[in-house]
Amino acid sequence: GENVEQHPSTLSVQEGDSAVIKCTYSDSASNYFPWYKQELGKGPQLIIDIRSNVGEKKDQRIAVTLNKTAKHFSLHITETQPEDSAVYFCAAVSNSGYALNFGKGTSLLVTP
Amino acid sequence: GAGVSQSPSNKVTEKGKDVELRCDPISGHTALYWYRQSLGQGLEFLIYFQGNSAPDKSGLPSDRFSAERTGGSVSTLTIQRTQQEDSAVYLCASSLQGSGANVLTFGAGSRLTVL
């Protein structure tokens, strides 16, 4: 089955700096890669996703890149703000699959 | 409803007791998932329901765990004879369709503490 590895487990940046979270996956059939943000006491919420037919996708301060050959994808947050502090999860799944396989999460802390 | 509703939000129980966790998905969502989030761990898939199809129970960690979904809507996750290692946040999610390549909407979770 699919195995998703996520690094780092914790990340601390100063407000205004960039943050990068990286994930690798094992199943070459995976073709959908979402990122979820979980704030304290809440369920995870989708913030951005990418499908295998594109290499990069951007939404304001958030971008995701995908390298299918190397089987890794990354989340980039620019101009970080304190409200970006949360746990971020990457995930992967194939078209024939239905249950997202999640990484173990990255706890991001943005200090003012 | 507007979102996925889970109850109770917090449950403290004694080892050996049974617990039931409830999930009310978004109206019209055909797929429903249960995940478990242990401290410092990712989201562990437990069970998946899609329409009237037989559920995929492949993620359930032991036969003490079971779940049902009545009328294609509300789901209940039952843990029998709870153990301390069952302590975790149990998250429910629903999606419009059954394919994994769809947006999952999660509830806030039910935090279970087994003493």
Side-chain angles (χ1 to χ4, degrees):
Chain A
E2 175 66 274
N3 182 41
V4 179
E5 301 279 344
Q6 183 172 347
H7 301 278
S9 57
T10 61
L11 179 59
S12 182
V13 299
Q14 286 200 316
E15 183 177 1
D17 288 349
S18 295
V20 180
I21 302 170
K22 299 182 179 181
C23 289
T24 61
Y25 61 98
S26 60
D27 187 354
S28 57
S30 289
N31 56 6
Y32 176 64
F33 308 92
W35 286 87
Y36 283 76
K37 175 184 180 182
Q38 185 178 29
E39 297 176 337
L40 198 62
K42 298 182 180 179
Q45 184 174 14
L46 179 75
I47 55 171
I48 194 168
D49 57 12
I50 191 168
R51 298 179 189 269
S52 60
N53 57 342
V54 298
E56 182 173 359
K57 184 177 179 180
K58 190 173 182 179
D59 182 4
Q60 298 183 344
R61 297 186 296 108
I62 294 173
V64 57
T65 59
L66 171 64
N67 183 328
K68 283 222 75 180
T69 303
K71 289 193 273 189
H72 66 69
F73 56 112
S74 300
L75 177 71
H76 305 253
I77 307 174
T78 58
E79 302 171 29
T80 54
Q81 301 168 4
E83 52 265 37
D84 294 330
S85 297
V87 179
Y88 292 80
F89 293 96
C90 63
V93 71
S94 67
N95 267 342
S96 60
Y98 45 77
L100 289 173
N101 297 284
F102 286 91
K104 291 191 175 183
T106 296
S107 179
L108 173 64
L109 177 64
V110 180
T111 55
Chain B
V4 177
S5 179
Q6 291 189 244
S7 61
S9 55
N10 277 286
K11 176 71 176 180
V12 179
T13 191
E14 294 180 344
K15 178 182 172 180
K17 300 284 189 182
D18 297 352
V19 296
E20 284 189 353
L21 308 176
R22 176 188 167 106
C23 173
D24 206 336
I26 292 175
S27 177
H29 279 196
T30 63
L32 186 147
Y33 308 77
W34 283 97
Y35 281 85
R36 179 169 69 176
Q37 184 174 22
S38 303
L39 189 63
Q41 299 297 309
L43 302 172
E44 176 189 6
F45 167 74
L46 297 179
I47 189 169
Y48 160 77
F49 295 90
Q50 169 57 37
N52 295 321
S53 303
D56 180 343
K57 307 178 181 180
S58 61
L60 295 179
S62 79
D63 58 9
R64 295 185 296 103
F65 288 72
S66 63
E68 63 178 19
R69 188 180 185 191
T70 55
S73 181
V74 172
S75 177
T76 301
L77 177 68
T78 301
I79 309 173
Q80 295 178 310
R81 305 181 302 281
T82 51
Q83 305 294 312
Q84 288 183 331
E85 59 263 29
D86 299 334
S87 296
V89 175
Y90 290 83
L91 291 163
C92 175
S94 68
S95 68
L96 196 56
Q97 298 174 26
S99 166
N102 279 283
V103 177
L104 265 60
T105 302
F106 282 88
S110 292
R111 179 177 296 277
L112 174 65
T113 303
V114 182
L115 302 177

